[in-house]
Amino acid sequence: MMDYFSMTNDSRLPKTTQTSQWPVPPDSVRYVVPEPIVRLLAHHPLTRELYPLAFGHYRRAAGHHMHREHHRDNLLIYCTEGKAFLNVAGEPLTVQAGDLLLLPAGASHRYTAAPDNPWTIHWVHYTGPLAEEFRNYMGFDGNNHVRHLGRQPRLLVDFNGLLSVRQTGFRARGLIHASNRLRQLLAAVPLNADETGLAQQAELETIHNFMREHLEERLTLQQLAELSGLSSAHFATRYREQTGTSPIQHFLHLKVERACQLLDTTSQSFADISRQLGYDDAYYFSRLFKKVMGKSPSDYRHTARH
């Protein structure tokens, strides 16, 4: 492992993070990564793209406030109780239970816990070249700083995973692990967000169940749209917004997935499998299969798999 104590004069190293000076009571936690370890994380090949600078959990944080004109890192805050009042680059905001707040590097801001109902939060300061990519991936584009996720146990597990590095004596390996737990936390945010629209999720599940039950057919966009009571165009647009793909493309992927299963578990010819999945023209379905899988059905069946 590289000697990170020798990197003190490297101009590429991150500046020390600026956490609030809120006096932490016994039931709350503030963990600041030591500067020598930060230097290691900034250079180590497993962490240099994204790494934490500080993280913690504040419970009913009465009197918690902060003002940063020159914010040098990224701060992600998940509020589970209470509320706080913010101003981000001149825009007033209120954060309440279930909200996920991102204050990106460079965004001047100030926040104050509500005096009569102070917030409870999990938080992490982080930096690295991938921070901007993750900002967009999590859905914090433009001036959008808050996403309402509701109660998300998985997100709490990920935040608590960072805190599990405590009482390890600032071991570098523990913080390398925490850096990769951070990447996992950020990557899971869109999955958590997908689960917040319960009515939409229920509607999607109905559509997907219908697709799975009719794999032997050639469903049309109109048939699928009728399940939602929408026009074909409106349904296709909303479906793509929710899933990132078209309904017909998803239906094709389900068919190819089923074809793979049959190629793996039976000796049926691909022509028979095609007919089972609604394609009398096996050559046509073979081309669709190859487009999805990157190889022909014959090559797929004869590829050594373990």
Side-chain angles (χ1 to χ4, degrees):
M1 191 169 289
M2 68 179 67
D3 178 10
Y4 51 84
F5 291 100
S6 66
M7 301 177 187
T8 306
N9 296 321
D10 192 330
S11 62
R12 296 171 297 166
L13 294 176
K15 304 292 185 183
T16 304
T17 189
Q18 186 183 5
T19 59
S20 74
Q21 298 306 304
W22 182 67
V24 181
D27 62 352
S28 296
V29 179
R30 178 191 291 133
Y31 186 99
V32 178
V33 181
E35 291 185 35
I37 302 291
V38 170
R39 292 195 285 272
L40 165 67
L41 299 179
H43 288 80
H44 196 285
L46 297 181
T47 59
R48 61 193 176 199
E49 298 297 323
L50 188 82
Y51 51 94
L53 301 171
F55 41 88
H57 176 214
Y58 293 167
R59 191 184 303 275
R60 306 298 291 176
H64 182 219
H65 62 90
M66 190 65 192
H67 182 194
R68 300 182 183 92
E69 275 300 326
H70 306 289
H71 189 39
R72 295 187 293 257
D73 54 55
N74 303 272
L75 173 57
L76 188 70
I77 298 175
Y78 181 45
C79 177
T80 57
E81 291 182 273
K83 63 181 178 180
F85 306 109
L86 293 87
N87 188 293
V88 184
E91 178 187 1
L93 297 169
T94 299
V95 171
Q96 304 184 68
D99 286 345
L100 186 69
L101 165 70
L102 178 63
L103 298 171
S108 63
H109 60 266
R110 60 181 182 270
Y111 52 78
T112 302
D116 58 340
N117 188 18
W119 63 358
T120 292
I121 57 174
H122 283 77
W123 55 270
V124 56
H125 287 265
Y126 63 93
T127 190
L130 282 180
E132 183 66 19
E133 290 292 334
F134 270 109
R135 175 188 177 184
N136 296 327
Y137 183 74
M138 290 188 290
F140 293 103
D141 51 339
N143 294 320
N144 176 24
H145 299 290
V146 178
R147 298 200 63 181
H148 183 73
L149 302 185
R151 179 166 177 77
Q152 293 293 341
R154 177 167 52 191
L155 190 54
L156 291 176
V157 168
D158 288 339
F159 270 108
N160 286 324
L162 296 178
L163 291 171
S164 67
V165 76
R166 290 186 304 142
Q167 299 177 345
T168 60
F170 297 123
R171 291 182 63 218
R173 288 181 177 176
L175 282 154
I176 289 172
H177 182 222
S179 296
N180 285 282
R181 292 293 294 263
L182 170 64
R183 186 183 293 233
Q184 174 181 312
L185 187 162
L186 302 186
V189 166
L191 300 178
N192 290 312
D194 286 345
E195 294 173 0
T196 60
L198 297 180
Q200 292 180 340
Q201 286 298 308
E203 180 182 294
L204 274 179
E205 191 58 28
T206 297
I207 293 165
H208 291 161
N209 284 337
F210 184 82
M211 290 180 179
R212 286 189 284 267
E213 292 167 2
H214 295 81
L215 286 178
E216 75 283 0
E217 300 178 25
R218 300 283 292 276
L219 297 177
T220 66
L221 181 61
Q222 179 62 37
Q223 287 174 285
L224 296 173
E226 287 173 357
L227 294 174
S228 299
L230 301 172
S231 68
S232 296
H234 189 185
F235 169 72
T237 298
R238 191 164 81 171
Y239 186 94
R240 183 175 288 278
E241 288 174 349
Q242 291 179 259
T243 67
T245 189
S246 73
I248 296 302
Q249 186 73 7
H250 182 74
F251 188 46
L252 171 61
H253 284 190
L254 289 176
K255 285 177 177 283
V256 172
E257 188 177 65
R258 177 61 175 159
C260 289
Q261 181 186 7
L262 292 173
L263 288 168
D264 284 338
T265 60
T266 74
S267 58
Q268 294 182 65
S269 69
F270 190 72
D272 287 340
I273 291 172
S274 297
R275 281 190 288 272
Q276 285 185 43
L277 295 171
Y279 293 93
D280 292 329
D281 186 345
Y283 178 70
Y284 175 69
F285 186 47
S286 176
R287 283 187 295 158
L288 295 178
F289 183 100
K290 185 173 183 179
K291 188 173 182 179
V292 173
M293 296 300 297
K295 60 181 64 178
S296 70
S298 177
D299 288 343
Y300 176 87
R301 174 168 263 171
H302 294 101
T303 297
R305 291 184 295 279
H306 306 279

